[in-house]
Amino acid sequence: MPYEQITASGEYRGIGADLTALLDEQLGVPLTLLPTRTWSESLAKVRDGRCDLLPMTMEVPSRRAYLDYSAPYTAQPFVIATRLSHPFVSNLAELDDARVAVVEDVAVGELIAEHYPRLKLVTVANATEGLELVRQGRVVGYVDSLATIAYKLQQEESIDIKVAGTLGFDLQLSMATRADQPLLGVVIAKALDAIGPSGIDRIVSRWLSAQYQPPRNTAWLWIVLAPTALIMLGLYLWNHWLRKVNRALAEAQAELAEKTQALKRLSVTDSLTLLSNRRKLDEVLSRSVELSRRNTRPFALIMIDLDHFKMTNDSYGHQAGDQVLQQVAALIREQCRNT
């Protein structure tokens, strides 16, 4: 719980049960519950062809050979629960080769093995067993979804276990059908579409909010939720700082690009006439020659000379000569194309 559970009386309860009931209505075909004691047993029954549908499972590569998945319909962060005295865990890599408990055959076990291969995974039958190993000190922590661990700690009114950190990836739950029945997968996907995100969210919210009802002893609540709140606050502040840094970096890069362009323009522009200078001429001329050779086509070069310009300088001074050059340059710019 809160995801799914078969009670001692055989009642199927939780998010999975409510979703299955809605599927039952959408399909108009009764869905028969096949009780199992463990998740490994559920997977085995699907592989053996005795079960057709898993209402709540996460897609992992090892199961794609025999399962088809719907799109994920809800997600919860994976967290690690440790003893109260254990330091907070910002990254599982900090635990190096420590022993960590996970439920047997669950997706998070594969994810941990992939991302943190040095960790020693200890498989357990359920969350209760995993948390008990933590209490006994036989494992450093137990990994599961935040909802599952919070529910178990509330149920047990535990004050000796805390949520010490997140894993950085989520439990993304989908419905899965047997891969050898592709039509069933299509039907289930359409039924989920008909239920819609709002219908699914109502079910998920009802069960996830129900797990946080205040217990008789609320001391555990502060111990469990305070570290989680600190982690979430830390993540928020970190993301806020990153956004500020990225924004400042983007502005600096834009300013640098603008100044670089300005410097580039200045390097090929005559400061008096604002026409292209000798460096630009060499660049364009070299490119034009190459294009002419490649395409075997001629190109033209026009040279302009100002008659009696030296006389203007000598008679009226260099300042007047500069003005003449600027006016001639302006006329040239007006009459010429950019390319």
Side-chain angles (χ1 to χ4, degrees):
M1 292 285 280
Y3 294 116
E4 53 185 350
Q5 179 187 46
I6 298 176
T7 65
S9 61
E11 181 187 3
Y12 184 35
R13 301 183 69 244
I15 296 172
D18 286 359
L19 277 177
T20 304
L22 284 181
L23 278 181
D24 213 14
E25 295 176 10
Q26 289 291 329
L27 299 175
V29 177
L31 299 176
T32 304
L33 178 66
L34 183 62
T36 57
R37 289 169 296 179
T38 64
W39 177 241
S40 297
E41 185 181 346
S42 298
L43 292 175
K45 288 186 182 296
V46 174
R47 286 195 298 267
D48 295 344
R50 288 177 288 169
C51 177
D52 301 314
L53 171 68
L54 294 174
M56 308 197 78
T57 184
M58 180 172 175
E59 182 174 359
V60 287
S62 64
R63 301 177 195 159
R64 290 174 186 153
Y66 61 94
L67 285 177
D68 288 336
Y69 294 87
S70 71
Y73 55 79
T74 188
Q76 272 277 309
F78 281 117
V79 298
I80 181 168
T82 67
R83 286 198 287 185
L84 202 59
S85 58
H86 193 280
F88 290 109
V89 180
S90 59
N91 190 310
L92 280 191
E94 298 172 5
L95 301 180
D96 197 22
D97 59 350
R99 290 161 55 86
V100 174
V102 295
V103 173
E104 186 177 9
D105 285 334
V106 295
V108 71
E110 289 192 27
L111 294 174
I112 292 174
E114 177 185 352
H115 294 281
Y116 307 101
R118 289 179 57 83
L119 287 177
K120 295 182 175 66
L121 294 183
V122 178
T123 57
V124 295
N126 50 51
T128 301
E129 184 180 333
L131 292 172
E132 185 57 32
L133 291 183
V134 175
R135 289 190 183 91
Q136 296 172 5
R138 295 167 60 187
V139 296
V140 168
Y142 168 68
V143 171
D144 209 325
S145 72
L146 176 60
T148 297
I149 289 179
Y151 176 84
K152 294 302 295 183
L153 294 181
Q154 175 189 355
Q155 187 183 51
E156 299 170 3
E157 298 188 11
S158 299
I159 59 172
D160 55 347
I161 301 289
K162 70 179 180 184
V163 174
T166 62
L167 271 64
F169 37 83
D170 294 341
L171 169 64
Q172 299 188 43
L173 289 171
S174 305
M175 285 200 172
T177 55
R178 284 167 43 188
D180 60 352
Q181 294 185 357
L183 184 58
L184 177 60
V186 173
V187 171
I188 293 298
K190 289 185 176 180
L192 285 174
D193 288 342
I195 295 170
S198 59
I200 294 173
D201 287 345
R202 279 194 297 271
I203 293 174
V204 173
S205 298
R206 180 164 66 248
W207 282 98
L208 292 187
S209 61
Q211 67 175 300
Y212 295 115
Q213 295 299 321
R216 291 186 298 276
N217 178 6
T218 59
W220 77 273
L221 190 62
W222 295 103
I223 295 171
V224 173
L225 296 186
T228 305
L230 287 174
I231 292 170
M232 299 304 293
L233 177 61
L235 289 173
Y236 169 78
L237 293 175
W238 173 255
N239 288 332
H240 180 69
W241 178 79
L242 278 181
R243 284 196 297 270
K244 287 181 64 177
V245 170
N246 288 336
R247 186 163 54 247
L249 182 60
E251 291 173 356
Q253 288 176 334
E255 184 180 356
L256 178 61
E258 184 179 344
K259 289 182 177 179
T260 300
Q261 284 296 108
L263 287 173
K264 185 177 180 180
R265 285 194 299 270
L266 287 174
S267 69
V268 294
T269 303
D270 179 72
S271 59
L272 176 64
T273 63
L274 301 182
L275 296 177
S276 298
N277 60 15
R278 173 62 183 272
R279 177 181 295 177
K280 184 67 173 180
L281 173 63
D282 290 343
E283 177 187 326
V284 173
L285 191 58
S286 175
R287 187 165 63 248
S288 298
V289 170
E290 289 298 324
L291 286 173
S292 176
R293 288 174 177 170
R294 184 189 309 164
N295 300 321
T296 62
R297 295 178 60 182
F299 72 95
L301 177 65
I302 300 175
M303 298 185 65
I304 300 175
D305 181 51
L306 297 183
D307 293 336
H308 311 300
F309 180 68
K310 185 176 184 305
M311 185 184 300
T312 301
N313 269 339
D314 293 342
S315 301
Y316 301 102
H318 289 284
Q319 186 173 0
D322 289 347
Q323 292 177 357
V324 170
L325 290 176
Q326 289 172 336
Q327 291 179 17
V328 171
L331 290 172
I332 292 173
R333 283 197 301 273
E334 290 175 4
Q335 300 302 318
C336 292
R337 299 181 305 178
N338 291 331
T339 59

